[in-house]
Amino acid sequence: MFWLLAQQAPDAAPLSRGYDITAWVLIGIALLAFALTAWRDVFHIFFRAKDLGTGLSRIWAVARTAIFEAWSARIWIVPLLWLVAILVINALVVPYDEATDTVALKAAVCLYGQSFMVLVVMLVLACFSIARERERRTIITTGAKPLSRLEFFLGKIVGFSAISLALLLFMGVVTYGYLLVVERNVRTTAAEKYRIEEEHFQKSQRGMAGGGGEAVNPPSQALKNIADSGVLVARNLIAPAEFQIAGLIQHNPDGTTVRSLRGGASSSERMILRFPTFYSHGSLFPTYHFIFPAYTLRNGPNPGDPPVFAPLRPGTKISIRIVISPTTGTGQERTVDHTLEMFETAEVPGLYYAQYTPEIPQLYIPDDHPELQLPIQVQVSCLTSGVYLGVWECANADNSNVIIDQFAPDIGTHGYIPLKPPQIVGFEKYDKQQVAGPSDGYEPRSGRFNDGEVASFRFSAQDMKRVPRDKDQNAVLSMYLDVDKTSNYNLQTLVDVDVYNQLGRPPTRVSNVAVNEKILTEVTLPMKDVSDTSDTFVDIRCAIPGHWVAVVRDSVRFELSSTPFLINLVKSELVIFFSAVLLITVAVVASVRVNGWVAILVTATAYFLGNGISQIQYLLTSGADSLLAPGEARQYQSQLVFKALGFLQVLAIKAVYVICLLLPDFRLFDSTTDILQYRNMPWLELGRDMLWMGLFAIPPIAVGYLMIRKQELA
Amino acid sequence: MSNIPDEVPAIGTHNLTKIYPGFWNAAKVTALSSLNLSVRRGEIFGLLGPNGSGKTTTIKLLLGLISATGGTAEVLGKPVGDQQTRRYLGYLPEETYLYRFLNARQTLDFYARIFNFNRVQRSRAVDHYLDFVGLDPAVRNRPLRTYSKGQARRVGLAQALLNDPDLVILDEPTSGLDPIGTLEMKELILQLKRAGKTVLLSSHQLADVEDVCDRVCILYRGVKEVEGTVDELLEVKDVFKLEARNVPESVQQQMVALVQQAGGDEIRTGRQRSRLEDLFKRLVAAKRSDESAAALSAAAPGAPGGR
């Protein structure tokens, strides 16, 4: 189970399994020791002992005392401080768009404030509780009662968790009331703005009808929507599982996908491949080989048919641009940006080839730091108009469009190292996910195929079963697109929407859908021929030359009926609560053996490490030039002191990383993202967070029990 | 009541040893050395010794608060630390270690919950034992941090008796109590004995121990020096003692002469002195009796201020 969770954790890095194995072994030892020593205490929690009842009542007794303790520490001041803080902060924060962003922003501030206050206060209370029991020796009186140490320990966790829940409940109610007031103001303002815009527009229309006046835009429907429906919403979106952009994308019935890079200056595509670590030490003098099938596209036999592949004219010259970033993160500036000419191979017509050998070594890894993992990233784009380069799936090292010959003279006589296949990272242009329109001269109604780019969104079959359809099997697709124009400024941006799946039927197309910048566009898709038994694809093409539409993964989605905002707020509060419970657990464990201040230090460190595992991963995988300085430090390599220091540094980072793996991953508890996007947090996500909370809490509880089990209380 | 046969001793220790390990420059400390002890059911057993003799260490070992370095110990027939056995134990520590933020009722309610009392049982037990230890009702809802030492001690005693324990372990029970409180405590210990409870009493107040204990054990530097009944240990076999009231002076002289003739030496005569404790007890009892009578007459119909 833990292993499964680790696989789902965000930003999983391609690190050695050794770290995971070490962490799991340590956790396993702790859990085994816990199981062997605590089984009787665990049994007594759930099963009635003679004259004693179950341990649950005793746990609750300790929890009640923890609540009284918090109350006597004037815990009720916390919500008041929070209220003052959020009122001040919200008064200072200015949203980018008052109509749409105000409520989300203020809600996020309220939630951040709650999270901060609750975590800090619980940190202090939980860290000092057991420590104070030891100092004041109340633990002696309590320890003489029929209360197991596990029950005592869990009682503290339950008590402080109950306090944090009560605090969050109170602050949540206040937050909701506050947001109702804010939303009312937003709606009033939007209604007033709409009224003014409408008056202005009507006046302009009357003026133009009279032969004069100036044209103005019609009043914003967005304002009217806000005024009518408000912005306290929690939308339920069915977002695509993935999407990609290419010149042409074909999803075959066998599940494979054929992608093509479109050539030419107007193309936004570049293929990005990342070669994982394959090289252990010394210098690397690689040769890069580029192999692409190249073709062009022609109209299908009938208007509206999909395009067909056609061979290039003999002698066509193809230029590609390559950008190679070999040692990211180490400060070794060896990035190559180069243009290559490809030529057609004699053996296989239509297959084009080029090779490149940089003049300088691409990579240097010190002998004593073989653990460094320095991926090489290669980007390829085609510069020749009208040419499409076929992209191969990188099933193995030989079936890749880019291959590296790794000649490394340092490591032996032959100097060649076995290859590992690269991984295609994506198709994008300068981090903007833009879909370019067709070539100049394209006319949407011409019957010619749209040779622009396509963004292909894949919706999983499981999700598609939840998409409502009307009696004619139509479903409503929502698109929230950004629009950009480099020519044809006066034309409305239009997109073509194709929907299909892999069952072989031709796509159903909805043509010439008008889209506007940051306005939600709804398209009714005829889904009669699109079964929900397999993944469904929605392709978006821009139909106007010189126009672009920018997309992110959930720009295109199906919207279900919205959930009341209050429920979404409660879910966010629960996510904060889950993270608070985990922090309390760690704090109580930390305070078992040390005094309150040391426990705070330990818990805060655990919290930051639990949030910063990505940074530690980065140190391990990138080499951390400031720590290891592989390039500059070569001259000192033979010195024993340098070697010893380097060894200790690496050892420390590795140890910290293993510790991170042992700690709860606090990054998983995200309480604000959905609220900020007015999106409903799925129950599944909430359940997953709850599961994580439960599972992450078990190892610290086991460790805490082992520490307190034989502790001398007096 | 536990279902332990009467022949099983309430407490039994076999070579019980506790050594506190040294750390850095601190030396090892042997707090208890091979203690063999057997406390019978229903007796009051006194644990005596100067500071540092190992009395409190013995009690903490018996309660499972600390672990033994060597030897074994059993309480009510079970190894120490057994969760279920602690259901039948009551413990009053040498100082009152209670939650200062709770009031007396909340304190007892907390411990009653640990003993799995239901709501009605809790309510009854809390009131009963607070009355039993004589805690002023006016202070029962105030946090313990505002209590005098004696008041806190009474709450401590109430929590020790709350579960009607078979074995009551009292560590310096009269510490912090005024003479009346001390007398009441002694009376209460005797009451416990009458109710068939076993009491392990640790105290510096030798007179208190002498008054109530059936058997005592004297520890010195962690080693048991002597153990036995109070009468056995205190009996001076070669000294004869006679007490009588209203004996004429001349007869007294004759009796002294008779003893001298018989070879008796180190003869001491004089008037009997009562103990200061008895005097204090008589005075306070008389004063309280007067106060009660005055209060009754003030409340009587027809009296000034009465109904």
Side-chain angles (χ1 to χ4, degrees):
Chain A
M1 181 65 84
F2 282 99
W3 184 83
L4 282 175
L5 288 176
Q7 303 312 301
Q8 292 178 25
D11 305 324
L15 266 176
S16 158
R17 300 295 300 168
Y19 296 102
D20 288 341
I21 291 167
T22 308
W24 295 131
V25 166
L26 290 173
I27 289 174
I29 290 171
L31 293 179
L32 186 65
F34 177 72
L36 291 175
T37 56
W39 65 270
R40 191 190 299 266
D41 288 344
V42 173
F43 180 83
H44 280 154
I45 290 177
F46 300 106
F47 296 96
R48 197 171 281 276
K50 183 175 172 289
D51 292 343
L52 268 182
T54 65
L56 297 175
S57 59
R58 295 187 289 277
I59 289 173
W60 178 239
V62 177
R64 281 181 86 245
T65 310
I67 294 169
F68 283 126
E69 182 183 8
W71 185 256
S72 78
R74 297 183 173 80
I75 191 81
W76 45 266
I77 289 179
V78 171
L80 300 180
L81 286 176
W82 163 81
L83 186 59
V84 171
I86 60 139
L87 287 176
V88 171
I89 294 172
N90 276 337
L92 297 175
V93 168
V94 180
Y96 177 72
D97 183 336
E98 281 195 22
T100 56
D101 297 343
T102 301
V103 169
L105 199 63
K106 289 184 190 297
V109 168
C110 291
L111 289 172
Y112 278 127
Q114 288 179 31
S115 178
F116 177 78
M117 295 294 269
V118 167
L119 291 183
V120 168
V121 170
M122 287 302 123
L123 173 72
V124 175
L125 280 176
C127 282
F128 273 101
S129 183
I130 291 184
R132 197 174 286 141
E133 291 240 15
R134 280 201 312 273
E135 283 167 19
R136 296 184 177 169
R137 316 190 90 182
T138 46
I139 202 167
I140 291 178
T141 313
T142 310
K145 298 283 184 273
L147 176 76
S148 73
R149 298 192 181 180
L150 181 64
E151 290 161 358
F152 175 72
F153 184 73
L154 292 178
K156 292 287 179 190
I157 295 172
V158 171
F160 291 118
S161 301
I163 297 161
S164 58
L165 186 63
L167 286 176
L168 288 169
L169 190 67
F170 177 80
M171 292 193 279
V173 169
V174 174
T175 298
Y176 188 60
Y178 172 70
L179 292 178
L180 282 177
V181 173
V182 171
E183 194 227 18
R184 194 175 164 189
N185 289 340
V186 167
R187 288 174 74 168
T188 309
T189 309
E192 183 62 16
K193 275 187 182 172
Y194 181 79
R195 190 185 60 76
I196 292 169
E197 280 186 14
E198 191 173 31
E199 277 179 14
H200 196 46
F201 178 71
Q202 295 296 346
K203 204 165 156 184
S204 156
Q205 293 294 96
R206 284 196 297 273
M208 288 174 76
E214 181 184 337
V216 296
N217 289 328
S220 162
Q221 281 306 306
L223 285 176
K224 184 161 174 47
N225 285 342
I226 290 169
D228 291 346
S229 312
V231 285
L232 273 185
V233 288
R235 294 194 311 252
N236 284 300
L237 308 182
I238 292 180
E242 62 173 355
F243 89 109
Q244 52 188 317
I245 296 171
L248 182 73
I249 299 177
Q250 289 177 322
H251 299 286
N252 297 323
D254 62 359
T256 59
T257 301
V258 175
R259 290 173 289 206
S260 304
L261 286 178
R262 190 180 71 148
S266 65
S267 168
S268 68
E269 297 142 44
R270 59 178 180 169
M271 176 191 185
I272 304 172
L273 298 114
R274 185 169 295 155
F275 288 85
T277 300
F278 45 82
Y279 183 63
S280 59
H281 66 288
S283 300
L284 180 65
F285 299 92
T287 295
Y288 296 88
H289 304 269
F290 301 90
I291 310 151
F292 284 92
Y295 38 82
T296 188
L297 296 179
R298 297 275 180 262
N299 281 336
N302 303 305
D305 280 355
V308 292
F309 296 109
L312 295 172
R313 284 200 314 276
T316 301
K317 284 186 178 176
I318 300 174
S319 298
I320 59 172
R321 181 186 172 197
I322 58 168
V323 179
I324 303 171
S325 315
T327 54
T328 52
T330 61
Q332 301 177 61
E333 294 298 333
R334 291 171 188 181
T335 298
V336 171
D337 189 342
H338 206 75
T339 302
L340 296 177
E341 291 286 326
M342 301 186 84
F343 61 86
E344 189 172 13
T345 58
E347 294 82 3
V348 184
L351 194 65
Y352 284 69
Y353 173 78
Q355 77 170 49
Y356 174 71
T357 305
E359 293 170 359
I360 52 173
Q362 285 288 284
L363 184 62
Y364 171 72
I365 299 178
D367 290 351
D368 51 349
H369 293 301
E371 77 286 349
L372 291 184
Q373 300 192 12
L374 306 177
I376 290 184
Q377 185 163 293
V378 179
Q379 303 167 21
V380 183
S381 52
C382 179
L383 303 177
T384 308
S385 295
V387 170
Y388 288 78
L389 299 180
V391 175
W392 292 334
E393 297 297 325
C394 304
N396 55 56
D398 297 329
N399 188 21
S400 165
N401 294 113
V402 183
I403 293 173
I404 301 181
D405 257 352
Q406 301 173 85
F407 178 59
D410 316 23
I411 64 161
T413 49
H414 55 84
Y416 285 92
I417 307 167
L419 290 166
K420 285 183 182 176
Q423 171 195 6
I424 298 177
V425 179
F427 298 84
E428 53 188 332
K429 180 180 182 181
Y430 309 120
D431 299 327
K432 290 180 182 174
Q433 304 285 325
Q434 291 183 323
V435 182
S439 317
D440 281 341
Y442 173 78
E443 215 298 312
R445 294 172 193 84
S446 66
R448 192 183 128 193
F449 77 88
N450 180 344
D451 63 349
E453 291 169 336
V454 58
S456 184
F457 298 83
R458 180 176 69 82
F459 293 86
S460 73
Q462 193 182 358
D463 283 344
M464 287 308 292
K465 292 189 196 312
R466 295 165 52 212
V467 175
R469 300 184 183 194
D470 63 17
K471 59 179 173 29
D472 298 324
Q473 292 293 304
N474 295 326
V476 177
L477 181 77
S478 300
M479 299 190 296
Y480 193 75
L481 307 173
D482 279 352
V483 174
D484 197 7
K485 298 176 182 178
T486 52
S487 60
N488 293 325
Y489 295 101
N490 57 339
L491 294 182
Q492 166 73 46
T493 303
L494 304 173
V495 296
D496 295 336
V497 182
D498 288 343
V499 58
Y500 57 99
N501 59 21
Q502 291 165 301
L503 300 180
R505 291 179 185 272
T508 304
R509 169 166 292 191
V510 180
S511 300
N512 302 325
V513 178
V515 293
N516 293 298
E517 174 86 3
K518 282 192 173 176
I519 299 286
L520 193 72
T521 307
E522 292 192 336
V523 189
T524 301
L525 295 178
M527 304 275 285
K528 197 168 60 181
D529 293 334
V530 183
S531 160
D532 59 9
T533 53
S534 74
D535 291 356
T536 297
F537 295 90
V538 174
D539 288 357
I540 304 289
R541 284 184 177 79
C542 180
I544 304 299
H547 288 203
W548 311 66
V549 289
V551 293
V552 290
R553 189 166 67 91
D554 55 0
S555 297
V556 174
R557 68 265 178 143
F558 293 95
E559 295 206 8
L560 308 183
S561 57
S562 60
T563 305
F565 178 83
L566 182 61
I567 291 177
N568 209 29
L569 184 65
V570 169
K571 289 176 186 170
S572 292
E573 302 284 353
L574 284 174
V575 172
I576 298 175
F577 171 67
F578 296 153
S579 62
V581 171
L582 269 185
L583 188 81
I584 289 165
T585 306
V586 175
V588 170
V589 169
S591 70
V592 161
R593 284 277 178 177
V594 294
N595 75 37
W597 292 110
V598 178
I600 285 182
L601 189 66
V602 170
T603 312
T605 306
Y607 182 75
F608 287 117
L609 287 180
N611 272 303
I613 191 168
S614 312
Q615 280 70 33
I616 307 293
Q617 267 179 343
Y618 179 76
L619 280 180
L620 277 173
T621 54
S622 71
D625 54 338
S626 60
L627 284 170
L628 302 166
E632 292 76 6
R634 194 173 191 181
Q635 53 183 312
Y636 303 114
Q637 262 194 336
S638 57
Q639 292 181 12
L640 190 65
V641 174
F642 179 86
K643 283 187 171 177
L645 284 176
F647 174 76
L648 288 176
Q649 283 171 343
V650 173
L651 196 67
I653 299 172
K654 285 181 172 178
V656 169
Y657 181 66
V658 172
I659 291 170
C660 285
L661 291 176
L662 296 173
L663 294 169
D665 191 343
F666 285 99
R667 295 172 304 167
L668 300 174
F669 301 94
D670 177 8
S671 61
T672 50
T673 299
D674 289 311
I675 288 254
L676 267 170
Q677 296 174 359
Y678 296 109
R679 286 177 61 165
N680 179 40
M681 182 188 296
W683 287 107
L684 199 65
E685 195 177 315
L686 188 72
R688 191 195 59 189
D689 284 359
M690 193 165 76
L691 181 70
W692 269 329
M693 176 197 69
L695 292 178
F696 280 132
I698 290 173
I701 287 173
V703 172
Y705 177 80
L706 293 173
M707 288 199 295
I708 203 173
R709 192 176 79 90
K710 285 288 178 190
Q711 190 185 13
E712 306 219 323
L713 299 182
Chain B
M1 289 284 282
S2 61
N3 295 327
I4 302 155
D6 284 345
E7 60 271 18
V8 174
I11 295 172
T13 69
H14 311 282
N15 293 325
L16 190 63
T17 303
K18 177 65 184 178
I19 300 171
Y20 289 106
F23 180 71
W24 205 246
N25 280 330
K28 281 184 180 177
V29 176
T30 303
L32 199 62
S33 178
S34 298
L35 178 67
N36 290 300
L37 207 62
S38 179
V39 178
R40 297 172 202 135
R41 304 290 295 277
E43 72 174 350
I44 302 177
F45 190 90
L47 210 51
L48 303 179
N51 288 339
S53 59
K55 302 185 300 291
T56 302
T57 299
T58 305
I59 289 175
K60 287 173 181 170
L61 283 168
L62 293 174
L63 290 167
L65 296 173
I66 57 177
S67 49
T69 313
T72 58
E74 289 185 343
V75 175
L76 297 174
K78 293 279 180 63
V80 293
D82 180 67
Q83 190 179 357
Q84 208 159 345
T85 305
R86 289 205 294 257
R87 164 69 181 80
Y88 308 107
L89 290 184
Y91 170 54
L92 175 69
E94 56 188 326
E95 298 284 332
T96 307
Y97 302 133
L98 298 173
Y99 297 109
R100 291 150 49 89
F101 48 84
L102 298 181
N103 63 36
R105 287 180 175 286
Q106 288 167 337
T107 301
L108 294 197
D109 183 78
F110 164 57
Y111 292 115
R113 283 172 186 270
I114 288 181
F115 289 115
N116 198 38
F117 288 9
N118 62 33
R119 183 194 294 264
V120 177
Q121 287 171 325
R122 283 203 308 271
S123 174
R124 276 194 200 142
V126 168
D127 287 335
H128 172 73
Y129 282 102
L130 288 178
D131 290 340
F132 184 74
V133 298
L135 186 72
D136 185 355
V139 302
R140 290 180 187 179
N141 290 323
R142 277 174 27 203
L144 295 194
R145 63 171 168 267
T146 63
Y147 281 22
S148 70
K149 196 171 178 184
Q151 286 170 328
R153 202 71 184 144
R154 286 169 195 272
V155 180
L157 182 63
Q159 66 79 24
L161 302 176
L162 190 68
N163 54 324
D164 189 23
D166 288 354
L167 170 63
V168 185
I169 298 176
L170 305 172
D171 195 358
E172 304 289 355
T174 55
S175 161
L177 295 181
D178 61 20
I180 293 296
T182 303
L183 287 170
E184 288 172 353
M185 177 63 80
K186 286 198 287 191
E187 177 53 35
L188 184 127
I189 292 168
L190 292 170
Q191 268 187 46
L192 291 173
K193 179 181 162 60
R194 286 194 290 275
K197 313 290 183 194
T198 309
V199 178
L200 176 68
L201 174 69
S202 155
S203 180
H204 290 296
Q205 308 293 325
L206 302 182
D208 298 346
V209 174
E210 187 183 335
D211 288 347
V212 297
C213 286
D214 300 316
R215 290 198 305 137
V216 296
C217 161
I218 298 176
L219 298 174
Y220 184 74
R221 295 204 173 169
V223 178
K224 183 171 80 173
E225 294 295 331
V226 67
E227 181 187 351
T229 65
V230 175
D231 290 342
E232 278 170 13
L233 296 177
L234 298 186
E235 186 185 27
V236 183
K237 291 195 165 67
D238 57 349
V239 175
F240 171 74
K241 189 178 172 187
L242 171 69
E243 287 183 15
R245 202 184 287 272
N246 300 327
V247 180
E249 191 78 21
S250 58
V251 175
Q252 289 177 22
Q253 286 171 1
Q254 286 172 9
M255 287 174 71
V256 169
L258 192 66
V259 170
Q260 279 174 338
Q261 281 173 10
D265 57 3
E266 295 183 32
I267 301 166
R268 292 196 192 95
T269 59
R271 295 189 188 285
Q272 173 71 45
R273 286 181 61 183
S274 70
R275 293 163 65 190
L276 190 57
E277 182 182 310
D278 296 332
L279 174 67
F280 186 88
K281 197 166 147 183
R282 275 203 310 274
L283 285 173
V284 173
K287 197 75 184 163
R288 281 188 180 165
S289 172
D290 293 348
E291 283 173 2
S292 302
L296 275 174
S297 62
R307 287 175 293 179

